[in-house]
Amino acid sequence: MLSLKRLLDRSVTAQAILVFLLGLGIAALIRRDEHPAVWVLHSALYTGIAVAFLAVQRHRAARAVGTDAGGLAELNRKIRHHEVPQDPDEQAAVRRLVAEQLGQMERAGKWLPYWFGAMGLIAVGMFVLVAVSGSLVFPLLFALGMVALCFWVVWRRRRSLDRLRWMRQALRPQ
Protein backbone atom coordinates (compact mmCIF):
# COMPACT_ATOMS: atom_id res chain seq x y z
CA MET A 1 0.00 0.00 0.00
CA LEU A 2 2.88 2.33 0.78
CA SER A 3 4.38 1.87 -2.68
CA LEU A 4 0.97 2.57 -4.28
CA LYS A 5 0.68 5.80 -2.29
CA ARG A 6 4.19 6.80 -3.32
CA LEU A 7 3.45 5.97 -6.96
CA LEU A 8 0.25 8.03 -6.93
CA ASP A 9 2.07 10.89 -5.18
CA ARG A 10 4.86 11.08 -7.76
CA SER A 11 3.33 9.92 -11.07
CA VAL A 12 0.78 11.90 -13.05
CA THR A 13 0.36 8.86 -15.30
CA ALA A 14 -0.66 6.67 -12.36
CA GLN A 15 -3.11 9.34 -11.23
CA ALA A 16 -4.53 9.57 -14.76
CA ILE A 17 -5.02 5.79 -14.92
CA LEU A 18 -6.79 5.82 -11.56
CA VAL A 19 -9.06 8.72 -12.58
CA PHE A 20 -9.84 6.99 -15.88
CA LEU A 21 -10.78 3.71 -14.21
CA LEU A 22 -12.90 5.43 -11.56
CA GLY A 23 -14.62 7.53 -14.23
CA LEU A 24 -15.24 4.43 -16.31
CA GLY A 25 -16.81 2.62 -13.37
CA ILE A 26 -19.00 5.56 -12.44
CA ALA A 27 -20.08 6.06 -16.06
CA ALA A 28 -20.94 2.36 -16.29
CA LEU A 29 -23.08 2.60 -13.16
CA ILE A 30 -24.88 5.79 -14.12
CA ARG A 31 -25.25 5.20 -17.88
CA ARG A 32 -26.11 1.49 -18.03
CA ASP A 33 -28.26 1.83 -21.14
CA GLU A 34 -25.57 3.46 -23.28
CA HIS A 35 -22.90 1.73 -25.34
CA PRO A 36 -19.60 1.03 -23.51
CA ALA A 37 -17.77 3.24 -26.02
CA VAL A 38 -19.68 6.20 -24.58
CA TRP A 39 -18.45 5.25 -21.11
CA VAL A 40 -14.87 5.20 -22.35
CA LEU A 41 -15.31 8.51 -24.17
CA HIS A 42 -16.76 10.26 -21.12
CA SER A 43 -14.10 8.79 -18.86
CA ALA A 44 -11.32 9.89 -21.23
CA LEU A 45 -12.76 13.41 -21.38
CA TYR A 46 -12.98 13.71 -17.59
CA THR A 47 -9.49 12.27 -17.22
CA GLY A 48 -8.10 14.79 -19.68
CA ILE A 49 -9.69 17.67 -17.80
CA ALA A 50 -8.46 16.37 -14.43
CA VAL A 51 -4.90 15.78 -15.67
CA ALA A 52 -4.73 19.22 -17.29
CA PHE A 53 -5.91 20.86 -14.07
CA LEU A 54 -3.43 18.79 -12.04
CA ALA A 55 -0.52 19.57 -14.38
CA VAL A 56 -1.17 23.32 -14.26
CA GLN A 57 -1.50 23.27 -10.49
CA ARG A 58 1.65 21.17 -10.03
CA HIS A 59 3.64 23.34 -12.47
CA ARG A 60 2.57 26.52 -10.68
CA ALA A 61 3.55 25.12 -7.26
CA ALA A 62 6.88 23.77 -8.53
CA ARG A 63 7.72 27.12 -10.13
CA ALA A 64 6.84 29.00 -6.95
CA VAL A 65 9.04 26.71 -4.86
CA GLY A 66 11.87 26.49 -7.39
CA THR A 67 11.97 22.72 -7.88
CA ASP A 68 10.65 20.02 -10.20
CA ALA A 69 7.62 17.77 -9.73
CA GLY A 70 9.63 15.05 -7.96
CA GLY A 71 11.17 17.56 -5.58
CA LEU A 72 7.74 19.01 -4.91
CA ALA A 73 6.40 15.56 -4.01
CA GLU A 74 9.34 15.02 -1.65
CA LEU A 75 8.80 18.40 0.03
CA ASN A 76 5.10 17.64 0.48
CA ARG A 77 6.01 14.27 2.01
CA LYS A 78 8.29 16.02 4.50
CA ILE A 79 5.49 18.40 5.45
CA ARG A 80 3.06 15.49 5.93
CA HIS A 81 5.53 13.60 8.13
CA HIS A 82 6.65 16.67 10.14
CA GLU A 83 10.25 16.31 8.93
CA VAL A 84 12.11 19.60 9.23
CA PRO A 85 14.90 19.69 6.62
CA GLN A 86 18.44 20.46 7.81
CA ASP A 87 19.72 21.89 4.53
CA PRO A 88 19.21 25.70 4.39
CA ASP A 89 18.25 25.61 0.69
CA GLU A 90 15.70 22.89 1.33
CA GLN A 91 14.37 24.82 4.34
CA ALA A 92 13.88 27.86 2.12
CA ALA A 93 12.06 25.74 -0.48
CA VAL A 94 9.79 24.22 2.21
CA ARG A 95 9.16 27.70 3.63
CA ARG A 96 8.09 28.97 0.18
CA LEU A 97 5.90 25.89 -0.36
CA VAL A 98 4.23 26.29 3.04
CA ALA A 99 3.59 29.99 2.38
CA GLU A 100 2.16 29.21 -1.07
CA GLN A 101 -0.13 26.44 0.18
CA LEU A 102 -1.32 28.39 3.23
CA GLY A 103 -2.13 31.40 1.08
CA GLN A 104 -3.99 29.22 -1.38
CA MET A 105 -5.99 27.46 1.36
CA GLU A 106 -6.87 30.72 3.09
CA ARG A 107 -8.08 32.27 -0.18
CA ALA A 108 -10.12 29.16 -0.96
CA GLY A 109 -11.52 29.12 2.59
CA LYS A 110 -13.49 32.28 1.89
CA TRP A 111 -15.54 30.41 -0.70
CA LEU A 112 -16.03 27.22 1.29
CA PRO A 113 -19.46 28.14 2.78
CA TYR A 114 -20.75 29.01 -0.69
CA TRP A 115 -19.50 25.70 -2.13
CA PHE A 116 -21.15 23.80 0.71
CA GLY A 117 -24.36 25.73 0.14
CA ALA A 118 -24.29 24.90 -3.57
CA MET A 119 -23.64 21.25 -2.80
CA GLY A 120 -26.54 21.26 -0.34
CA LEU A 121 -28.84 22.79 -2.95
CA ILE A 122 -27.77 20.15 -5.48
CA ALA A 123 -28.41 17.37 -2.94
CA VAL A 124 -31.85 18.75 -2.05
CA GLY A 125 -32.70 19.29 -5.72
CA MET A 126 -31.68 15.74 -6.61
CA PHE A 127 -33.65 14.41 -3.67
CA VAL A 128 -36.81 16.27 -4.76
CA LEU A 129 -36.47 15.42 -8.47
CA VAL A 130 -35.89 11.72 -7.94
CA ALA A 131 -38.39 11.42 -5.06
CA VAL A 132 -41.11 12.85 -7.31
CA SER A 133 -40.29 10.25 -9.95
CA GLY A 134 -40.65 7.34 -7.54
CA SER A 135 -37.61 5.84 -5.86
CA LEU A 136 -36.16 7.20 -2.62
CA VAL A 137 -33.09 4.97 -2.37
CA PHE A 138 -30.89 6.81 -4.89
CA PRO A 139 -31.61 10.34 -3.59
CA LEU A 140 -31.01 9.27 0.00
CA LEU A 141 -27.69 7.65 -0.91
CA PHE A 142 -26.73 10.72 -2.94
CA ALA A 143 -27.61 13.10 -0.09
CA LEU A 144 -25.71 10.97 2.44
CA GLY A 145 -22.73 10.83 0.08
CA MET A 146 -22.81 14.60 -0.32
CA VAL A 147 -22.90 15.11 3.46
CA ALA A 148 -20.04 12.64 3.90
CA LEU A 149 -18.04 14.45 1.21
CA CYS A 150 -18.54 17.80 2.94
CA PHE A 151 -17.40 16.41 6.30
CA TRP A 152 -14.39 14.78 4.63
CA VAL A 153 -13.42 18.07 2.94
CA VAL A 154 -13.62 19.95 6.25
CA TRP A 155 -11.57 17.26 8.04
CA ARG A 156 -8.86 17.18 5.34
CA ARG A 157 -8.70 20.96 5.22
CA ARG A 158 -8.29 21.24 8.99
CA ARG A 159 -5.64 18.53 8.99
CA SER A 160 -3.70 20.19 6.15
CA LEU A 161 -3.87 23.60 7.79
CA ASP A 162 -2.57 22.13 11.06
CA ARG A 163 0.36 20.49 9.27
CA LEU A 164 1.24 23.61 7.32
CA ARG A 165 1.05 25.85 10.39
CA TRP A 166 3.18 23.39 12.36
CA MET A 167 5.83 23.40 9.62
CA ARG A 168 5.76 27.20 9.36
CA GLN A 169 6.32 27.40 13.11
CA ALA A 170 9.12 24.80 12.99
CA LEU A 171 10.92 26.68 10.20
CA ARG A 172 10.85 30.07 11.91
CA PRO A 173 14.34 31.38 12.63
CA GLN A 174 15.23 31.00 16.29
Side-chain angles (χ1 to χ4, degrees):
M1 188 64 165
L2 185 61
S3 62
L4 178 64
K5 281 179 66 175
R6 187 171 292 131
L7 178 68
L8 287 172
D9 192 33
R10 295 179 184 273
S11 172
V12 176
T13 306
Q15 292 172 356
I17 291 170
L18 181 65
V19 168
F20 178 79
L21 292 175
L22 287 173
L24 188 63
I26 291 170
L29 284 174
I30 293 175
R31 303 167 191 258
R32 292 182 200 165
D33 299 337
E34 293 183 13
H35 194 272
V38 175
W39 304 343
V40 172
L41 183 65
H42 281 117
S43 184
L45 176 69
Y46 299 145
T47 301
I49 292 169
V51 168
F53 179 75
L54 175 70
V56 167
Q57 187 179 28
R58 195 176 266 194
H59 177 71
R60 183 183 311 148
R63 190 178 64 217
V65 173
T67 186
D68 61 344
L72 185 64
E74 182 63 26
L75 293 177
N76 276 320
R77 187 196 62 77
K78 287 185 179 194
I79 291 171
R80 280 193 312 270
H81 293 281
H82 296 290
E83 295 176 11
V84 180
Q86 300 303 320
D87 181 36
D89 293 335
E90 198 173 14
Q91 281 184 353
V94 170
R95 202 175 285 121
R96 286 190 303 268
L97 179 61
V98 166
E100 172 77 20
Q101 288 181 352
L102 273 173
Q104 205 174 38
M105 289 184 79
E106 288 168 358
R107 284 189 303 273
K110 295 175 186 176
W111 292 97
L112 202 57
Y114 301 110
W115 281 107
F116 286 156
M119 290 169 69
L121 285 174
I122 291 169
V124 168
M126 283 290 294
F127 184 75
V128 169
L129 286 174
V130 178
V132 168
S133 67
S135 175
L136 286 177
V137 174
F138 180 72
L140 284 175
L141 289 176
F142 183 78
L144 288 175
M146 191 72 77
V147 168
L149 177 68
C150 290
F151 277 114
W152 180 78
V153 166
V154 169
W155 175 71
R156 290 294 301 176
R157 177 179 164 71
R158 184 176 303 136
R159 197 167 160 200
S160 294
L161 283 171
D162 289 344
R163 286 177 177 165
L164 290 170
R165 288 176 182 148
W166 183 91
M167 186 58 79
R168 181 177 61 186
Q169 185 67 28
L171 289 172
R172 287 219 169 126
Q174 308 301 331

